[in-house]
Structure formats: C-alpha cells, structure tokens
C-alpha cells in the first residue's frame, strides 16, 4: 500500500470510531433503554422519576461520548503513548466524571430535610465484586510479575526501560486515585428525604455512575499494567514454571482490560437500601 493510502487508512480509523461513538452517545433515550435501566436497577419508572432518569441517561451518554471521542483523536493525532485505546478510554473516564459532576450540581438536586443513615453508605453497596476488588488484583498481579523480574533479570542487557515503568506506574497511581476520589464523592453525597420513587432513582443513578467509572478506571489500570508486564515477560529469564506463570499473568491482564470495559463497566448490582433513622 502506498504512503498516501496508509495515511488515508489511518485518518479513517482516527475519525470513524469517534464519529460512531458520538452518534450513539447523542441518540435520543428510547423507551427500551429506559426500561432496561429500570429493570437492571429494580426500580419502577413513574411520572416523577422518569424525567430524572432520562436526563441522567442522556447527559451521561453525551459526556462520555465527547470525552472518549476527544481522547481517541488526541491519542492518534499527537502519537501519545498508548495511542488510540488508552487515551480513548481515558477521555471516556473524564467524560463520565464530568457527567457525574453535572448530575450533582445541574439540574439542582431536589431539596428536602436531611436525615442521617444508621450506617455509612459505602461504595461496596453499589458495586459488583469485580469493581470492588479489581484494583487490588491488578496491583497484586503486577507485583508478582515485577518480583519475578527482580529475581531473574535478563542475562543480557535489560530491555525494560525505567522510564517506561515509571510512566505506567504514575498512570496507574493517578487512575487509582481518581477512582477512589470519585467513589468517595458519589457515596458521600447527601441525599434529601424524597418520595420513594425519587429516592430509588437517586440510588440507581449512583450505582450506574459508580459502576461505569469503576469499569473504565479498571480498564485503564489493566492497560497500564499490561504494558509493563508485557515488557517484563519478553525480557524475563526465569526457570519453568515461573516463565509459564508470567506469560499467563500477562495474557490474563490483557483480557482483564477487555472484561473491565465490556463486563464490569456495564454490569449492575441492585442497591439494597439500609435502615435509616
């Protein structure tokens, strides 16, 4: 293929995916989509909470689409490390965070007298098992891989560049910090005393936001960890079965990125309200 054809293919790839993402993100919220969200969170759509749920679904999809499209284009245009996939997911996460901020402050939350729960609301009340324990599993797998490399470094000149490890490590730490702060922000946000249908909608919105942010964050953490683990695996001079274990840890981390994006990000755990005073 000529250089002109390669350039045309690269540009098509750069702009075709964001275009499809934007078209999907800005599509009107259908009745089927609203019904699916309601069934997933075990809530009943009423005349009171229906507009709130539709507004949340529309706003969240648009901000995530804008962020993901911008990150995808920026990753390709500026040849950033990780290129399209990493920066597209990072943009999606930034859009999801912006949607959560907009959901919290605009339109203004309904006013009403506050009441304190007997037990503190926790992010685990809203999240699936994979979303809760994913960060710890990622760090544990990466630690095992790096520990093996420290025990059995390459017999020749090491190919794992410290700058690469530092860059991925900083990225992993930043995403983990963003994940923790977003969970704290969403779970600790006060909830006014409202009608039962509005309270259920508020809990469903929190659960949807937390699960989406967690899945996107875990996908980014897996991509950063995979970059380091892949370099270590190719340069590891370990005896069997440690070499075999290293290979499967790396492949498992790569598949975990896909699972976090397509599985955890869209999975729902129904929130069970606790007793309040």
């Amino acid at each position: 293929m000529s250089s002109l054809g390669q350039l045309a293919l690269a540009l098509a790839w750069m702009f075709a995916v964001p275009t499809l993402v934007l078209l999907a993100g800005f599509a009107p919220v259908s009745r089927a989509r609203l019904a699916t969200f309601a069934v997933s969170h075990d809530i009943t759509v009423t005349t009171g909470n229906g507009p709130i749920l539709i507004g949340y679904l529309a706003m969240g999809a648009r901000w995530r689409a804008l962020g993901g499209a911008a990150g995808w284009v920026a990753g390709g245009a500026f040849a950033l490390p990780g290129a399209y996939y990493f920066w597209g997911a990072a943009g999606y996460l930034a859009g999801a965070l912006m949607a959560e901020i907009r959901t919290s402050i605009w339109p203004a939350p309904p006013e009403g007298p506050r009441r304190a729960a007997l037990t503190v609301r926790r992010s685990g009340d809203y999240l699936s098992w994979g979303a809760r324990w994913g960060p710890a599993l990622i760090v544990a797998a990466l630690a095992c891989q790096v520990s093996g490399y420290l025990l059995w470094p390459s017999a020749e000149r090491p190919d794992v560049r410290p700058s690469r490890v530092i860059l991925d490590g900083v990225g992993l730490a930043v995403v983990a910090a963003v994940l923790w702060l977003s969970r704290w922000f969403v779970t600790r946000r006060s909830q006014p005393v409202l009608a039962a249908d509005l309270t259920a909608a508020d809990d469903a919105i929190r659960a949807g936001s937390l699960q989406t942010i967690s899945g996107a964050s875990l996908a980014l953490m897996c991509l950063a960890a995979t970059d380091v683990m892949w370099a270590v695996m190719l340069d590891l001079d370990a005896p069997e079965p440690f070499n075999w274990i290293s290979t499967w840890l790396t492949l498992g981390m790569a598949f975990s990125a896909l699972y976090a994006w397509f599985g955890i990000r869209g999975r729902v755990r129904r929130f069970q309200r606790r007793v309040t005073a």
Side-chain angles (χ1 to χ4, degrees):
M1 182 181 294
S2 64
S3 58
L4 186 59
Q6 292 177 349
L7 177 61
L9 185 62
L11 290 175
W13 179 248
M14 183 187 301
F15 291 105
V17 172
T19 300
L20 294 175
V21 169
L22 289 173
L23 289 175
F26 280 80
V29 178
S30 63
R31 290 180 177 272
R33 184 179 172 193
L34 178 62
T36 300
F37 183 84
V39 171
S40 299
H41 292 275
D42 195 23
I43 61 174
T44 301
V45 178
T46 65
T47 55
N49 65 20
I52 296 175
L53 294 175
I54 292 174
Y56 162 74
L57 292 174
M59 181 185 296
R62 290 168 185 173
W63 276 103
R64 293 193 293 266
L66 284 171
W72 183 279
V73 173
F78 297 103
L80 298 171
Y84 302 104
Y85 304 103
F86 184 88
W87 290 100
Y92 179 94
L93 176 59
L97 294 173
M98 183 57 67
E100 178 55 35
I101 294 174
R102 291 293 301 272
T103 300
S104 301
I105 63 176
W106 185 86
E111 292 298 329
R114 261 55 178 178
R115 61 183 177 186
L118 294 178
T119 54
V120 178
R121 185 183 286 111
R122 302 173 303 176
S123 60
D125 298 333
Y126 298 91
L127 297 172
S128 62
W129 183 91
R132 293 199 309 272
W133 295 101
L137 295 176
I138 293 170
V139 172
L142 181 60
C144 290
Q145 189 86 323
V146 173
S147 299
Y149 189 70
L150 294 176
L151 288 174
W152 300 289
S154 175
E156 301 176 357
R157 182 181 177 183
D159 293 330
V160 181
R161 300 187 304 274
S163 59
R164 181 178 185 178
V165 177
I166 293 174
L167 182 63
D168 286 322
V170 169
L172 196 150
V174 169
V175 175
V178 169
L179 175 59
W180 183 84
L181 287 173
S182 63
R183 288 181 177 179
W184 182 88
F185 174 77
V186 174
T187 55
R188 297 303 177 91
R189 188 176 68 220
S190 60
Q191 184 183 69
V193 178
L194 300 169
D197 60 336
L198 297 180
T199 301
D202 181 79
D203 284 327
I205 288 172
R206 292 178 197 244
S209 297
L210 281 171
Q211 194 71 18
T212 298
I213 292 171
S214 296
S217 300
L218 291 175
L220 281 168
M221 293 176 69
C222 287
L223 289 174
T226 300
D227 189 54
V228 175
M229 294 173 68
W230 187 265
V232 167
M233 181 195 72
L234 295 178
D235 204 42
L236 188 64
D237 193 18
E240 298 296 349
F242 299 102
N243 227 337
W244 179 85
I245 294 174
S246 171
T247 300
W248 281 104
L249 272 178
T250 305
L251 294 176
M253 187 62 65
F255 282 111
S256 294
L258 296 174
Y259 173 70
W261 187 261
F262 294 104
I264 293 178
R265 186 176 59 92
R267 189 175 179 182
V268 173
R269 177 187 176 184
R270 293 176 178 175
F271 175 71
Q272 301 295 328
R273 285 197 63 81
R274 299 185 175 195
V275 178
T276 55

